[in-house]
Amino acid sequence: MIQNPLLSRVSRAERPKPFIIEESETNMTEIKAVGVVGSGQMGSGIAQLAAVHGLDVWLLDTDPAALSRATKSITSNIHRLISKGQLSQAAGNDALGHLRCSSNLEELRMTDIVIEAIVESEDAKKTLFLELDRIAKSSAILASNTSSISITRLASATSRPRQVIGMHFMNPPPIMKLVEIVRGADTSDNTFYATKALAERFGKTVICSQDFSGFVVNRILMPMINEAFYALYTGVATREDIDTGMKLGTNHPMGPLQLADFIGLDVCLSIMKVLQTGLGDNKYAPCPLLVQYVDAGRLGRKRGIGVYDYRAAEQLKRSARL
């Protein structure tokens, strides 16, 4: 074989690599229609993202009142984007035209991907995935917005484990830039690339996690929040000083206790239990104060009271609108 003398002077590391197209990328599922199950803050935010980016969206919830609140929230958010010049009137109207709301799961028959955003309960999610597996077309991807539960175990409730994946949006989805993608034991490359492409279409930065309890973000975040509760529980400092210390001392935009209220204390507790069980280490045991607050119904901003009391401020806002 004749060797090019010029090429022989270039190290292997410096030589240009051939352009290779992954077969799984060229054949990946094209997503045109999205189903979102659960119309809370996460589900409505994901539905808004999909509608704004030109996809047909079905937002599903068994609670008609929750669907009504979600529709009002999405409409208000889109009008706000228009008023700020971040979205044209035509694009805003088009986005609202892409959104459909329903309480009937059968509406999801022809969607290309269904994103589950219901309560953070493995049993509830498995029950839903069993139904979705029956209803959704055979090529559809079933994605979970879970922040901590095993994708492999959720996939085991279906007959299509290769098409099940974790797609964890941060709260609130329209604003936060990150999506955490989690592959189960059997998740196919096609499913991964299609889900990643969808997240990028939404303008998100994607990180990938192995299927371990808590994934990346909550594996780090929740123990910090739990430790903040322990600091409050044991009298190390006041709630205000704990939050101020982390905001000004570590440049966090929000203190851990304030953040816990924003996330929902019940969600924080659920994730800590998943970490403790899944990783088998008592260092993840939930702080007794966190457990007590959840038992008392002090779930954070959504209930008007958590670590902090938001009821007076909410009453002032309501009065100002009258």
Side-chain angles (χ1 to χ4, degrees), residues 315-322:
Q315 184 60 46
L316 282 174
K317 282 184 184 178
R318 282 194 292 270
S319 299
R321 287 196 292 265
L322 296 176

Side-chain angles (χ1 to χ4, degrees), residues 29-38 43 46-47 50 55-61 104-118 125 128-146 151 154 158 160 163-169 191 194-195 198 202:
T29 302
E30 184 179 8
I31 294 175
K32 294 180 179 178
V34 177
V36 181
V37 183
I46 296 166
L55 296 166
D56 289 326
V57 189
W58 280 261
L59 179 60
L60 275 288
D61 201 299
N104 183 6
L105 280 177
E106 299 289 337
E107 299 278 6
L108 301 177
R109 283 192 178 280
M110 296 312 295
T111 54
D112 301 305
I113 183 170
V114 181
I115 303 171
E116 166 274 309
I118 65 169
K125 290 180 190 293
L128 175 61
F129 269 61
L130 189 64
E131 279 294 290
L132 293 175
D133 187 41
R134 178 184 64 81
I135 292 167
K137 63 184 181 181
S138 61
S139 61
I141 293 169
L142 304 182
S144 176
N145 184 56
T146 179
I151 300 302
L154 294 182
T158 77
R160 60 178 88 189
Q163 292 156 240
V164 177
I165 195 164
M167 192 181 191
H168 178 211
F169 290 81
T191 298
T195 306
L198 180 62
F202 290 164

Side-chain angles (χ1 to χ4, degrees), residues 18-293:
F19 181 71
I20 300 172
I21 299 175
E22 293 279 354
E23 182 182 354
S24 51
E25 289 187 73
T26 60
N27 297 328
M28 72 183 180
T29 302
E30 184 179 8
I31 294 175
K32 294 180 179 178
V34 177
V36 181
V37 183
S39 65
Q41 188 168 10
M42 295 304 294
S44 63
I46 296 166
Q48 178 184 318
L49 271 173
V52 166
H53 286 85
L55 296 166
D56 289 326
V57 189
W58 280 261
L59 179 60
L60 275 288
D61 201 299
T62 55
D63 182 357
L67 274 178
S68 177
R69 288 192 299 270
T71 303
K72 289 177 183 176
S73 174
I74 292 169
T75 302
S76 174
N77 290 342
I78 288 176
H79 286 159
R80 190 178 299 114
L81 292 174
I82 294 169
S83 67
K84 290 181 177 180
Q86 297 173 359
L87 199 65
S88 70
Q89 184 71 55
N93 291 340
D94 186 56
L96 291 173
H98 280 293
L99 179 66
R100 299 168 181 82
C101 295
S102 176
S103 295
N104 183 6
L105 280 177
E106 299 289 337
E107 299 278 6
L108 301 177
R109 283 192 178 280
M110 296 312 295
T111 54
D112 301 305
I113 183 170
V114 181
I115 303 171
E116 166 274 309
I118 65 169
V119 63
E120 192 71 355
S121 159
E122 183 171 333
D123 288 342
K125 290 180 190 293
K126 277 185 170 180
T127 299
L128 175 61
F129 269 61
L130 189 64
E131 279 294 290
L132 293 175
D133 187 41
R134 178 184 64 81
I135 292 167
K137 63 184 181 181
S138 61
S139 61
I141 293 169
L142 304 182
S144 176
N145 184 56
T146 179
S147 55
S148 60
I149 295 168
S150 167
I151 300 302
T152 302
R153 291 203 301 272
L154 294 182
S156 71
T158 77
S159 62
R160 60 178 88 189
R162 290 176 57 78
Q163 292 156 240
V164 177
I165 195 164
M167 192 181 191
H168 178 211
F169 290 81
M170 304 299 124
N171 190 16
I175 295 173
M176 299 297 281
K177 298 295 185 183
L178 186 72
V179 168
E180 191 174 36
I181 292 181
V182 186
R183 298 178 68 152
D186 296 313
T187 304
S188 70
D189 286 347
N190 177 46
T191 298
F192 169 76
Y193 285 119
T195 306
K196 182 173 182 285
L198 180 62
E200 290 170 344
R201 178 173 178 173
F202 290 164
K204 304 303 183 185
T205 297
V206 171
I207 64 169
C208 302
S209 171
Q210 297 297 316
D211 190 17
F212 291 102
S213 299
F215 314 137
V216 175
V217 174
N218 281 328
R219 173 79 175 264
I220 298 166
L221 174 63
M222 286 302 158
M224 182 191 73
I225 287 175
N226 198 48
E227 197 61 32
F229 270 95
Y230 269 113
L232 182 62
Y233 178 58
T234 56
V236 172
T238 64
R239 62 190 181 183
E240 291 82 4
D241 282 353
I242 291 167
D243 278 348
T244 300
M246 293 304 292
K247 284 191 288 185
L248 301 185
T250 62
N251 205 29
H252 288 196
M254 190 181 291
L257 298 174
Q258 184 186 4
L259 179 57
D261 272 354
F262 184 75
I263 294 169
L265 301 193
D266 53 333
V267 176
C268 295
L269 177 58
S270 174
I271 294 171
M272 288 307 302
K273 288 179 177 178
V274 169
L275 289 174
Q276 185 182 19
T277 302
L279 300 173
D281 193 326
N282 281 332
K283 74 178 182 180
Y284 298 109
C287 175
L289 184 61
L290 173 59
V291 176
Q292 185 184 72
Y293 278 10

